[in-house]
Amino acid sequence: MNAQINKQVLREHFGIHARPEQVVVALAGNPNVGKSTVFNSLTGLRQHTGNWPGKTVDNAQGVFSYRQTSFLLVDLPGTYSLLAHTIEEQIARDFICFGHPDATLVVLDATCLERNLNLALQVLEITPRVVICVNLMDEARKRGIIIDVKTLEKELRVPVVGTAARIGEGIEDLKEALWQVATQSTHAEPAQVRYSLEVEEAIRELSSALDAVPTGPLNRRWLALRLLDGNPSILAGINTYFELISN
Amino acid sequence: MSLVYTQSWLDKASNKAEEIRQRYDNRIADLIVKDLYANAEEIARKAVVFRRRSRGWDKKLDDILTSRRFGYPVMVALLGAVFWLTIVGANYPSDLLALLFSRLQEKLTWFFSATGLPDWFHGVMVLGLFAGLASVVAVMLPPMAIFFPLFTLLEDLGYLPRVAFNLDHIFKRCGACGKQALTMCMGFGCNAAGVVSCRIIDSPRERIMAILTNNFVPCNGRFPILIAIGTVFFAGTLPYGLQSAAAAGVVTAMVVLGVLLTFGVSWLLSQTILRGEPSSMVLELPPYRMPQLLPVIYRSIIDRTVFVLRRAVIMAAPAGALTWVLANTHIGDFSILAHIATLLQPLGQMIGLDGFILLAFVLGLPANEIVIPILLMMYLSTGRMVDFASLEELRQVLINNGWTWLTAVNMMLFTLLHWPCTTTLLTVYKESGSKKWTAMAFLIPTVTAFLVCFMVTQAVRLLGLV
Amino acid sequence: MEIGLANLSLADLPAGSAGCITSVEVGGLLRRRIMDLGMLPGTQVRCVRKAPWGDPVALQVRGSIIALRAEDLRKIKISPIINREG
């Protein structure tokens, strides 16, 4: 019960007013990957746009139903990474970390997968409840780029769906994958980034210093990495998190 | 658990992190990104097969659209073509709507007199409210409903980032950001939307600069004025086939002038109240994508129509009623409208306009769409308009009220340069969070408009050209 | 043409040729941006084209096209690589 209330408080902090039985899905992706096309083809006209609370950054939310479950899709700002150098990246990261999404959908551009995987891997470091959508498959085919979705799924160890949102290809599969991840309790164990020895050494050293630190929903290894990035904005996020749940 | 407890632990942790970073020569953030990409590369290597390397279409298109020789001419030509299509396409529906509305107005007038309703009520409701609404819809809706989808197609095609790419060097010289070109493109649709789109500019200084100058791009509510005046005064005497092309040329020239002034004002700002070095720019040039023609056209026509009709009902109808009341309420020998216009007359004269035109612009503050309808209503306060979109009639009305080609030029300049509408000003306030910048967003265009019109008028008069 | 190889930067790449990044000598937000886009030491970058005034410059990086200003590119050092794609 308490957890339910916490979840609601946290979401409302981000301006997300979901009904208790509603499933919240965060939508992440690079700019120019057809993220809004995916958003539109999932939600149709049932959407509204505004700003993130207190920020001049666009926020779009939309709803759709699948298998008698109502989904609330939250469009995160388009970013190249979640390392929080800009306000957009910070919003995207904080929502995935603290906004309690039941699933995060990461949209990748099939025509430049490498750069897009960089973002996907960063999301997978935060949460295992992820569905990967490789969009623009039609465009990639036209350019002679073939994406092996099965291999990708094996490598990332989370559901991967190839789509061409413009023509509606793969959208039903995407809904099914989202439904699986958001409502089933089986947890994926996604691929983790392998760091070089130097970085691993630094993580180990800092993690031991973090042993007794309460980190909320975050794992220690990831928090250590962010502190090593030298970007203290995550600390403010953790602080807000504890403030919200203690009230 | 107490917050102080948490905070102190986190402080300790970040101090420790700082110590480790120092030991690694501050390279650790770079190493993390490098490792992330190494993982991404490895996965991509397994999951992606390149059958052939082709950027055929993109390369060929970019070879033309961003080339030294054709880049700029194509930009202007595309703009001209969009305006030409808008003008040609708007003619027929405009005429049709005008016909429809004048029939409807006759019916309404007949109905009002048959039911014995008082004259003043007929005036307010039919000659004011209905006529205001009708002329906004007939004159403004068709060009807006055609221009917008055309522009959306260019946007969806991926052309706009190329415009930013082509123009960035000039923007940099003016101390601004090339992405300002994108925000200006958004301004064609609506300056308020243009101001919001300035969010894509990272540097706060350059963002404010883009916000303050966005108004120099004529929005959807203003370029139909340019089209109407341009067609009537500068294309009306040409053979029919050439009229649209000439009008498109005039409008394009005005837009180019607006862009040049944007450069000039940006430069001035960067030398004065927004001093600073241009920051860096990272601009992605996405591949060209074939837009989905029908959905885009369908959706944006519907969007525009709803948008215009909404504004027509909220702004134009009450403004029409108010104008009729002002024009028909007399104090002494003259109507209130005439009194105010007389007051504004000297100022209007100085910049080659007249008191009525200035008053129409003042009353048009909530929405520029209503400037021409209001102006006509004022000029015709004693008579009535038969056809809402007949250019010949428009021309006669204007000439009867003392318009010369110089008045037309100044009308177009003033339309292009004058203060933003209230929606845009409110948006500037929301986006900048500052009263000062909102005031500047009003003052900069206003001063520019008066200055430019004054100089043109005085120069032309001095040379004895009118 | 003699260019000090140690000092070759992305700004020196003629359109159509490629280089391998050796160091990114930019600071601040731009550095983070450049790295997030995958322009790292060891990454191959191709100069696709230059804008009408010769600036900014469009680069092909990991399958996408990114435009940067010449003065920023001057701070990204490269070693030239043989051009196989013509």
Side-chain angles (χ1 to χ4, degrees), chain A residues 205-220:
Chain A
E205 194 180 339
L206 189 54
S207 292
S208 59
L210 287 175
D211 249 354
V213 179
T215 56
L218 308 175
N219 71 60
R220 286 207 164 66

Side-chain angles (χ1 to χ4, degrees), chain B residues 3-38:
Chain B
L3 288 177
V4 184
Y5 173 82
T6 313
Q7 187 59 51
S8 74
W9 272 110
L10 290 173
D11 280 348
K12 235 178 244 170
S14 61
N15 287 342
K16 178 78 181 165
E18 179 60 33
E19 180 209 313
I20 298 173
R21 268 203 311 278
Q22 295 287 330
R23 206 166 348 115
Y24 280 84
D25 262 353
N26 283 317
R27 287 182 312 121
I28 205 134
D30 287 4
L31 287 175
I32 290 174
V33 179
K34 208 176 166 195
D35 288 347
L36 275 164
Y37 262 103

Side-chain angles (χ1 to χ4, degrees), chain A residues 92-108:
Chain A
R93 184 199 64 188
D94 283 355
F95 185 74
I96 297 174
C97 285
F98 305 113
H100 248 288
D102 296 299
T104 299
L105 175 58
V106 187
V107 182
L108 310 185

Side-chain angles (χ1 to χ4, degrees), chain C residues 3 7 9-10 13 24 27 38 43-44 46-47 53 57 64 71-72 75 77 79 83:
Chain C
I3 304 172
N7 234 346
S9 79
L10 272 178
L13 274 183
V24 180
T43 308
Q44 280 190 29
R46 159 181 294 275
C47 172
W53 298 88
V57 178
S64 58
E71 59 263 36
D72 297 324
K75 298 176 204 150
K77 304 298 179 195
S79 58
N83 186 9

Side-chain angles (χ1 to χ4, degrees), chain A residues 32 51 56-58 80 113-115 117-118 121-122 136 139 142-148 151-152 155 166 193-196 198-199 201-202 205-206 210 213-214 225 227-230 235 239 242-243, chain B residues 1 3 6-7 9-10 13-14 16-17 20-21 23-24 27-29 31-33 35-37 39-44 46-52 54 58 199 284 286-290 292 430-431:
Chain A
N32 301 316
N51 284 345
T56 50
V57 177
D58 296 333
Y80 293 114
L113 200 67
E114 209 171 276
R115 191 188 75 198
L117 276 170
N118 172 44
L121 290 170
Q122 292 184 35
L136 301 172
E139 192 123 354
K142 256 184 245 160
R143 281 160 203 270
I145 300 170
I146 309 298
I147 308 290
D148 183 346
T151 304
L152 203 54
E155 289 293 318
R166 275 164 30 116
V193 177
R194 283 188 303 278
Y195 287 98
S196 51
E198 269 180 299
V199 177
E201 183 52 45
E205 194 180 339
L206 189 54
L210 287 175
V213 179
L225 275 162
L227 292 177
L228 290 170
D229 272 342
L235 298 180
N239 231 13
F242 282 116
E243 252 168 53
Chain B
M1 155 193 351
L3 288 177
T6 313
Q7 187 59 51
W9 272 110
L10 290 173
S14 61
K16 178 78 181 165
I20 298 173
R21 268 203 311 278
R23 206 166 348 115
Y24 280 84
R27 287 182 312 121
I28 205 134
L31 287 175
I32 290 174
V33 179
D35 288 347
L36 275 164
Y37 262 103
N39 282 257
E41 273 170 27
E42 200 188 318
I43 296 171
K46 289 179 189 156
V48 185
V49 182
F50 293 92
R51 283 270 174 77
R52 60 193 138 86
S54 77
D58 287 288
R199 292 171 176 188
E284 188 172 357
Y288 290 102
R289 283 177 191 143
M290 198 55 203
Q292 297 166 287
K430 270 189 220 148
E431 293 297 306

Side-chain angles (χ1 to χ4, degrees), chain B residues 100-243:
Chain B
L100 194 78
F101 283 127
S102 65
R103 290 271 168 79
L104 206 60
Q105 183 165 342
E106 279 168 27
K107 289 263 166 27
L108 281 171
T109 302
W110 175 84
F111 173 80
F112 272 68
S113 63
T115 46
L117 289 163
D119 259 5
W120 68 263
F121 190 67
H122 171 255
V124 173
M125 295 308 289
V126 178
L127 301 180
L129 197 140
F130 177 81
L133 200 136
S135 43
V136 165
V137 174
V139 179
M140 311 299 280
L141 177 59
M144 290 165 117
I146 294 171
F147 178 88
F148 206 72
L150 285 176
F151 215 82
T152 312
L153 287 179
L154 278 184
E155 191 186 347
D156 285 8
L157 181 70
Y159 178 63
L160 301 191
R162 271 72 186 182
V163 174
F165 181 65
N166 284 343
L167 291 176
D168 177 63
H169 187 75
I170 305 180
F171 278 110
K172 188 175 76 183
R173 284 288 180 84
C174 302
C177 175
K179 288 184 187 171
Q180 192 169 329
L182 298 174
T183 68
M184 288 163 72
C185 289
M186 294 299 116
F188 276 115
C190 163
N191 289 123
V195 168
V196 172
S197 73
C198 293
R199 292 171 176 188
I200 58 170
I201 298 173
D202 293 320
S203 142
R205 186 186 70 87
E206 290 160 16
R207 182 162 55 233
I208 291 289
M209 205 182 268
I211 288 177
L212 294 183
T213 53
N214 193 270
N215 190 58
F216 290 130
V217 177
C219 67
N220 238 312
R222 286 188 285 155
F223 68 73
I225 306 180
L226 300 179
I227 291 178
I229 304 293
T231 311
V232 163
F233 271 86
F234 303 103
T237 52
L238 292 169
Y240 185 74
L242 284 177
Q243 280 187 9

Side-chain angles (χ1 to χ4, degrees), chain A residues 72-83:
Chain A
L72 177 66
L73 191 59
V74 180
D75 193 12
L76 302 176
T79 59
Y80 293 114
S81 92
L82 290 179
L83 299 177

